[in-house]
Amino acid sequence: MVRLSILSGLASGLCALANPLVKRASLQQITNSGISNPTNVGFYMYVPDKLASSPGIIVAIHYCTGTAQAYYSGSPYATLAEQYGFIVIYPSSPHSGTCWDVSSKATLTHNGGGDSNAIANMVTWTMSKYKADSSKVFVTGSSSGAMMTNVMAATYPDIFKAGIAYSGVPAGCFVSSSGGVDAWNSTCAQGNSVATPQAWANVVTNMYAGYTGARPKMQIYHGTADATLYPNNYNETIKEWCGVFGYDYTNPTSTEKNTPLTNYYRYSFGPQLQGIYAVGVGHTVPIQGTEDMKFFGFSGSSSSSSSITPATSTLLTKVATSAASTPTASTGGSTGGTVAHWGQCGGAGWTGSTTCVAGYTCTKANDYYSQCL
C-alpha cells in the first residue's frame, strides 16, 4: 500500500519517550470480553499493580505500521499508569499496514459498526469491569492514531472527557467518497482539505446526530515540518474544534512560547481547546507524557506563567468560501497584502500573498507549504 512507504519509520518519531518509572504489570490481550467487535480490532490492556479504587482510563492508539504492543513499549502511558493508577487500553488495528479506518461511514458514525465502535465497546466493558471513574476517560494517539483520536472524540463525546492528538488530521478529513474502509486520502494528507469552522463543526456533529451533551476538551499537537500529514492539518483541526466549541480560531486567548519545549508554542482558544505547534518538528511530534497527565487532570495544571496575549493569528489565512458540510480541496485564493507570523506564504497551488510581515521570512517546509517564520 502507498501508506506503508509514506508512513514507514513512524516509530522513530516516538524515540524520545523514555520514562524513569518501571512497568510492573504486563500487557494483556483480552480475548473473552464478549463485546461487539465488528472489525476485529485487537483488544490489549495494561492494568497497573497499584490500581486506583475508581481508576481512570486512557485509550492509547498506535500509528500506521504500529501495533498495540509497539505503542505499549514506545509510549509512556503504562509507566505513568503505575504512578497514577489508571488503566491503559491499547487497541490494535486489524487492517493491512495497521493504519486505522478513519474514512468509512461506519467508523465515522456513532455506533456505526466500524473501528471506532469496537474501541468504544472496549472502553465501556473496561469501565464496567473495573468500576472506572467515568469522569476520567481519555483518548490519545499518534499519526493514524491521532486521526482516530479526533474521530473517537467526535463519535463518542458521551464517553471521552478529553483527547490529545499527536500529528493527525481533522475528524472526517479522510472520508472516502467511495465509502472505502481504511482508505488513504492524499488531498487531506497534503493539507488541501480546507473548510470553514462551521463546516468542520457540521462534520463532527453529523457523526453523532442528535447529540446535545458535553464534548471532550481537545489538545492538538503538530510539527511545522511534517511532510506526511502536512502542517495545514493542524490549522484545519483547530478550526474544526473551534467551530464545535464556538471559539474564534483567528483570536487565541493566550500564547505560551517555548512550552512545553523550546520552539513549541501553545495556543489556548478557550477552556476546551489548546493547540501546540512544534517549530521544526516533523512527523510525528514526540509524546509529552508529563504534559498529557496535566491535561487529563492526573497531575497539576497545563497552564504556564509564560502566557502572553498573541499579536497575530496562529492559523493560515486561507479559508474555504464554501459552507458545505464536507470539506473540499482548496484552490488557494488571494489574501492580499502581507502574511502574518505563522501564516502560509507559498507552496504548490498557493495563490495568496507571499510577502511576510516585517521581521519574518517566508520559509519552505515542503513543496506544498511555506510559512512566515
Side-chain angles (χ1 to χ4, degrees):
M1 296 177 70
V2 173
R3 74 193 68 195
L4 288 177
S5 59
I6 294 176
L7 299 179
S8 62
L10 292 185
S12 63
L14 304 177
C15 62
L17 306 181
N19 190 291
L21 299 175
V22 177
K23 300 173 186 173
R24 297 183 178 89
S26 60
L27 184 68
Q28 301 293 327
Q29 184 176 11
I30 308 301
T31 59
N32 59 349
S33 64
I35 66 170
S36 173
N37 191 342
T39 57
N40 199 31
V41 173
F43 186 2
Y44 293 82
M45 181 186 299
Y46 183 86
V47 180
D49 280 355
K50 295 183 178 180
L51 182 66
S53 58
S54 183
I57 297 172
I58 292 179
V59 180
I61 309 178
H62 67 73
Y63 44 87
C64 283
T65 76
T67 61
Q69 295 90 334
Y71 212 49
Y72 161 74
S73 299
S75 66
Y77 300 114
T79 51
L80 290 166
E82 292 293 347
Q83 181 175 352
Y84 297 105
F86 57 77
I87 295 168
V88 190
I89 295 173
Y90 297 93
S92 205
S93 169
H95 306 291
S96 174
T98 69
C99 294
W100 291 96
D101 174 22
V102 290
S103 61
S104 72
K105 182 178 179 180
T107 201
L108 298 176
T109 303
H110 179 81
N111 290 340
D115 287 358
S116 62
N117 200 165
I119 294 171
N121 290 343
M122 294 173 189
V123 176
T124 55
W125 180 87
T126 304
M127 291 172 66
S128 176
K129 180 175 177 62
Y130 290 94
K131 297 180 173 57
D133 185 343
S134 61
S135 70
K136 296 181 179 179
V137 181
F138 311 109
V139 59
T140 186
S142 299
S143 188
S144 182
M147 300 185 204
M148 181 56 82
T149 294
N150 282 315
V151 168
M152 295 306 302
T155 51
Y156 294 93
D158 53 331
I159 293 178
F160 297 102
K161 303 306 177 185
I164 302 176
Y166 283 95
S167 307
V169 304
C173 190
F174 254 51
V175 65
S176 170
S177 58
S178 65
V181 173
D182 184 31
W184 183 256
N185 186 320
S186 294
T187 299
C188 178
Q190 293 175 3
N192 293 322
S193 291
V194 178
T196 64
Q198 186 56 58
W200 279 123
N202 290 343
V203 171
V204 170
T205 56
N206 287 340
M207 291 186 193
Y208 190 175
Y211 179 77
T212 58
R215 293 188 180 272
K217 66 177 184 177
M218 299 298 296
Q219 192 175 66
I220 309 301
Y221 281 84
H222 218 103
T224 66
D226 194 329
T228 300
L229 301 175
Y230 285 25
N232 192 41
N233 281 299
Y234 164 83
N235 303 314
E236 296 305 307
T237 306
I238 293 295
K239 285 162 64 178
E240 178 171 69
W241 292 113
C242 277
V244 170
F245 296 126
Y247 301 152
D248 180 357
Y249 80 93
T250 68
N251 187 29
T253 58
S254 68
T255 301
E256 298 168 75
K257 55 184 179 180
N258 296 322
T259 303
L261 298 174
T262 301
N263 292 328
Y264 283 49
Y265 289 74
R266 178 158 58 202
Y267 302 98
S268 294
F269 295 88
Q272 296 291 101
L273 179 62
Q274 292 182 352
I276 293 92
Y277 211 29
V279 176
V281 177
H283 189 75
T284 57
V285 177
I287 295 170
Q288 306 298 311
T290 300
E291 291 297 312
D292 289 1
M293 295 302 97
K294 294 176 183 178
F295 191 74
F296 289 152
F298 288 112
S299 68
S301 170
S302 60
S303 63
S304 167
S305 60
S306 64
S307 178
I308 59 175
T309 301
T312 60
S313 168
T314 67
L315 301 185
L316 308 186
T317 54
K318 184 171 63 173
V319 180
T321 58
S322 171
S325 60
T326 301
T328 58
S330 169
T331 57
S334 176
T335 60
T338 57
V339 180
H341 186 204
W342 304 115
Q344 184 173 5
C345 55
W350 175 249
T351 58
S353 178
T354 58
T355 303
C356 298
V357 295
Y360 300 102
T361 302
C362 189
T363 304
K364 180 180 177 180
N366 50 61
D367 290 342
Y368 294 89
Y369 182 73
S370 296
Q371 185 180 33
C372 290
L373 300 174

